Amino acid sequence: MTAARSGPAFSLHDIPFSTHGSWFGISPVLAEKTYAEDLHLVSHQNGMHPVLRFVPLDATTGERAETSVTATPSLLRWAHGGGRIDLAYESPDTVRLRGEGTSLRITAAASTLTPFTGTYFYRDPVDGAHVFTSYETGRRYRVTVLAGIVQGATGSQALGNADRGLTISAEAGGTWEAAVEELDTARSPVTARTTFSEVVTTAEQDFAAFADAVAPWRSPGTAAAELAVYVLWSATVEPTGLVTRPAVLMSKHWMDKVWSWDHCFNALALAPGAPALARDQFALPFDHQDESGALPDSVTHSEVLRNFVKPPIHGWTFSHLRRRLTEPLDRTELAETYDRLERWTDFWLTARRAPGAALPHYQHGNDSGWDNATTFDAARVIVTADLAAFLVLQLRELAALAKELGLAGDARKWTRSAEDVQAAMFDELWTGERFVARGVDSGDTRSSSSLLDLMPIVLGEHLPEHIAKSLAARIEAHLTPYGLATELPASPHYRPDGYWRGPIWAPATVLIEDGLRRSGHQRLADEISARFRGLCETNGFAENFDALTGTGLRDRAYTWTAAGYLLLAEAHEHRQTLDRAEASTESMR
């Protein structure tokens, strides 16, 4: 049997076992807040669907075996007394299994088959493989026994309610092997061209190469870096359906989509080491840009949602992305990005500005990405300073791109527009002490204790010093031992698991940390970075975290959280390197 390989170990209750490019993972998580006793093959084609259930059995008694489960990036193992079952990815659509002293029962996760739902099961007379066909995913799952015997195949061709599945075992003292594939309609029979040990070694090497490319700077001081890379690597899927490019899903749990601002942080984290994948992450939502210039709310395998949008942080992102890429973008790609950003910006300047208004508005909290932030309590259709600030940065990036492309007239136009929006933001929303939001219909202004009101810090060097100083002081009031609470903990509206009404989030942390640095508030930026990095190193890469305890909340394998950690950890390592170099130089003088 193959020994466990090196790499970060992780709990499958937090992070699914998967591989780069695959549309399925192995996990006990079947839906939001739904955990099974057994591991399942969970596919994300046509949504999140548990398809197959894996049940280890004692090879002697045939009874369910009590096992311990361990996982590293290249190998998943069930251990039972003197026996074990190992699983590894041979390719994005195929896993290999090998067992010794333990049998494996593979069954359909759904016991009921109707004309429109469930999983049909049969033995294929062409090659003897056993096939499960899923209405939910629209795909087939072929189980081929490569060594060993099939025992207890039940429910073949059964309709209605039935126990559908097979048990794979070995002769006494032997081992068994099998392959499980996710496929469309048909393909050639499986043959074992490589040994199981070779499959594991290749998987280990593939992940190690990706980790070395994306986080070559990692050190003992960045304890969670390799696991963060695994979260990104394993959540990546191949282009299929409406996913037009290789895509990093937000998770291979239930948040299995690409939202039109989440993708920005993944692109930035990947840029130096996986530049092609990074460019694809930035571009994917733009592939679905509509006639108005709007980006969709989200994209996944079989749906594009447009009932909301997301904030225009793409100018800020592209400015950073260009600096992080190891090679400059060619003129064709710059021109394409310019056109897409121009249309996205025009959407906010036309479809989202009321007649005579200088500033655009959100129609709902979901448009901001901060769905239920207290900024939106009094009204949902509001003008906010965070939106204006993001738009200013996008307009400035358009001006820079226009200048580079030789469009001098456009460059002047975008610069004037940026200056006009920024002036209007200060004039209409700055009270002299803080930014407020304004109802588009009522004209009433209102402040809140949400961190969202402080997001104009992203303007960085473009902010007047006194405004940056005021924002920094208010931001520091949100800082808990674990990071930035999205609602002041002393607020009556604070909720420990209140989504954007308290918990710590990666995107807010990264954006604010960057703005503080660019506005000269290095000490506070350092502290925010340190606390968030420590939070991830202790509590993983959850969708968000309890601001007062650090407990991970909601989806526990969220890629923009992993990306946020990598961005902050990399920058910290580089600052440490510079500090050491400067100290060494000083000591030599």
Side-chain angles (χ1 to χ4, degrees):
M1 296 294 289
T2 303
R5 301 291 179 169
S6 60
F10 55 91
S11 167
L12 289 176
H13 276 74
D14 294 333
I15 301 171
F17 182 78
S18 191
T19 197
H20 193 81
S22 180
W23 276 91
F24 69 85
I26 311 300
S27 174
V29 181
L30 309 187
E32 183 176 3
K33 299 179 180 179
T34 303
Y35 292 78
E37 183 179 3
D38 297 307
L39 298 184
H40 285 64
L41 185 152
V42 181
S43 179
H44 297 274
Q45 301 205 55
N46 291 326
M48 180 185 185
H49 302 290
V51 181
L52 302 180
R53 177 187 177 205
F54 298 111
V55 184
L57 304 177
D58 186 293
T60 303
T61 66
E63 299 297 319
R64 180 191 185 87
E66 294 301 322
T67 60
S68 61
V69 177
T70 57
T72 63
S74 58
L75 183 68
L76 184 157
R77 171 169 292 166
W78 293 263
H80 164 63
R84 58 192 177 190
I85 299 170
D86 288 342
L87 182 151
Y89 275 85
E90 183 173 40
S91 69
D93 64 15
T94 302
V95 292
R96 290 272 295 273
L97 295 114
R98 186 175 184 180
E100 179 180 12
T102 307
S103 302
L104 182 66
R105 177 76 177 163
I106 303 176
T107 66
S111 60
T112 301
L113 176 67
T114 78
F116 304 104
T117 64
T119 300
Y120 175 63
F121 176 61
Y122 65 96
R123 179 184 176 278
D124 190 336
V126 173
D127 60 7
H130 290 78
V131 181
F132 299 83
T133 71
S134 168
Y135 273 109
E136 282 71 22
T137 69
R139 301 298 183 276
R140 297 167 187 250
Y141 300 84
R142 183 169 67 176
V143 181
T144 302
V145 177
L146 303 173
I149 57 177
V150 174
Q151 293 181 332
T154 58
S156 180
Q157 303 182 51
L159 305 178
N161 292 320
D163 175 24
R164 299 173 177 85
L166 68 155
T167 299
I168 308 170
S169 61
E171 301 290 350
T175 61
W176 59 263
E177 289 195 39
V180 179
E181 306 162 89
E182 182 176 57
L183 52 88
D184 291 342
T185 305
R187 64 171 59 158
S188 299
V190 173
T191 56
R193 295 185 176 91
T194 57
T195 67
F196 187 85
S197 296
E198 290 170 337
V199 169
V200 176
T201 298
T202 299
E204 178 189 355
Q205 292 171 344
D206 288 348
F207 172 70
F210 189 85
D212 287 343
V214 171
W217 42 263
R218 64 195 190 277
S219 74
T222 57
E226 199 165 356
L227 187 56
V229 172
Y230 174 75
V231 170
L232 289 167
W233 180 79
S234 65
T236 303
V237 295
E238 294 178 334
T240 303
L242 296 171
V243 174
T244 51
R245 303 165 184 262
V248 181
L249 303 179
M250 289 312 102
S251 175
K252 279 184 182 169
H253 289 322
W254 59 88
M255 299 296 280
D256 56 353
K257 299 182 180 183
V258 176
W259 276 268
S260 292
W261 70 311
D262 309 45
H263 71 111
C264 292
F265 301 92
N266 291 342
L268 292 175
L270 293 167
L277 185 59
R279 295 198 304 271
D280 281 333
Q281 299 325 294
F282 182 78
L284 175 58
F286 286 95
D287 291 346
H288 297 277
Q289 196 167 18
D290 71 13
E291 292 180 359
S292 73
L295 297 183
D297 184 38
S298 63
V299 178
T300 192
H301 176 272
S302 53
E303 69 174 18
V304 176
L305 298 183
R306 299 187 183 276
N307 51 325
F308 296 106
V309 293
K310 286 294 176 276
I313 69 166
H314 302 83
W316 172 87
T317 302
F318 194 66
S319 175
H320 284 280
L321 184 65
R322 295 177 70 193
R323 289 194 293 271
R324 289 179 57 76
L325 290 170
T326 52
E327 295 183 3
L329 299 175
D330 61 34
R331 186 179 179 85
T332 299
E333 194 162 357
L334 286 177
E336 180 184 51
T337 302
Y338 175 78
D339 175 69
R340 289 175 157 192
L341 279 177
E342 179 180 35
R343 294 172 57 212
W344 178 220
T345 304
D346 280 341
F347 164 80
W348 288 99
L349 295 176
T350 54
R352 290 299 180 89
R353 282 204 295 196
L359 297 175
H361 59 267
Y362 291 131
Q363 294 177 344
H364 186 279
N366 289 2
D367 285 341
S368 74
W370 294 53
D371 308 356
N372 66 334
T374 53
T375 302
F376 297 93
D377 279 1
R380 261 59 65 193
V381 182
I382 56 176
V383 173
T384 65
D386 70 293
L387 173 54
F390 291 140
L391 194 60
V392 167
L393 293 178
Q394 191 151 297
L395 288 161
R396 292 188 183 279
E397 182 62 14
L398 278 171
L401 283 170
K403 183 178 180 180
E404 190 169 343
L405 292 168
L407 306 172
D410 280 6
R412 289 191 294 271
K413 177 186 72 172
W414 297 126
T415 299
R416 285 195 303 271
S417 186
E419 291 169 349
D420 290 345
V421 172
Q422 183 165 317
M425 181 183 74
F426 293 146
D427 182 55
E428 298 181 23
L429 302 179
W430 178 250
T431 68
E433 296 181 349
R434 65 190 305 158
F435 283 106
V436 295
R438 191 184 73 243
V440 174
D441 295 327
S442 67
D444 295 340
T445 60
R446 179 179 180 273
S447 63
S448 78
S449 49
S450 173
L451 188 64
L452 183 60
D453 291 10
L454 308 178
M455 289 304 295
I457 194 67
V458 297
L459 285 172
E461 68 275 17
H462 305 297
L463 282 171
E465 185 177 352
H466 71 285
I467 293 181
K469 184 177 180 180
S470 177
L471 290 174
R474 291 183 180 276
I475 288 167
E476 191 159 15
H478 284 258
L479 191 57
T480 76
Y482 304 98
L484 291 171
T486 45
E487 179 78 9
L488 278 175
S491 162
H493 305 293
Y494 176 87
R495 298 291 182 271
D497 188 11
Y499 222 49
W500 292 94
R501 301 169 81 92
I504 296 165
W505 287 79
T509 302
V510 171
L511 286 162
I512 286 175
E513 194 264 2
D514 174 68
L516 287 167
R517 289 198 187 282
R518 291 189 292 108
S519 62
H521 294 272
Q522 305 295 331
R523 179 200 62 79
L524 181 55
D526 285 345
E527 192 61 35
I528 289 168
S529 172
R531 295 191 191 189
F532 186 79
R533 286 183 283 114
L535 173 66
C536 292
E537 287 163 4
T538 302
N539 293 306
F541 306 106
E543 185 178 354
N544 54 60
F545 303 87
D546 186 312
L548 300 183
T549 68
T551 302
L553 303 171
R554 309 293 174 119
D555 194 309
R556 302 298 178 88
Y558 217 74
T559 55
W560 77 354
T561 308
Y565 174 84
L566 290 171
L567 288 166
L568 296 175
E570 177 190 9
H572 173 70
E573 286 294 296
H574 289 167
R575 286 193 299 272
Q576 294 287 95
T577 300
L578 288 174
D579 288 346
R580 287 191 292 267
E582 290 175 3
S584 177
T585 301
E586 187 65 29
S587 69
M588 295 173 63
R589 289 179 181 173

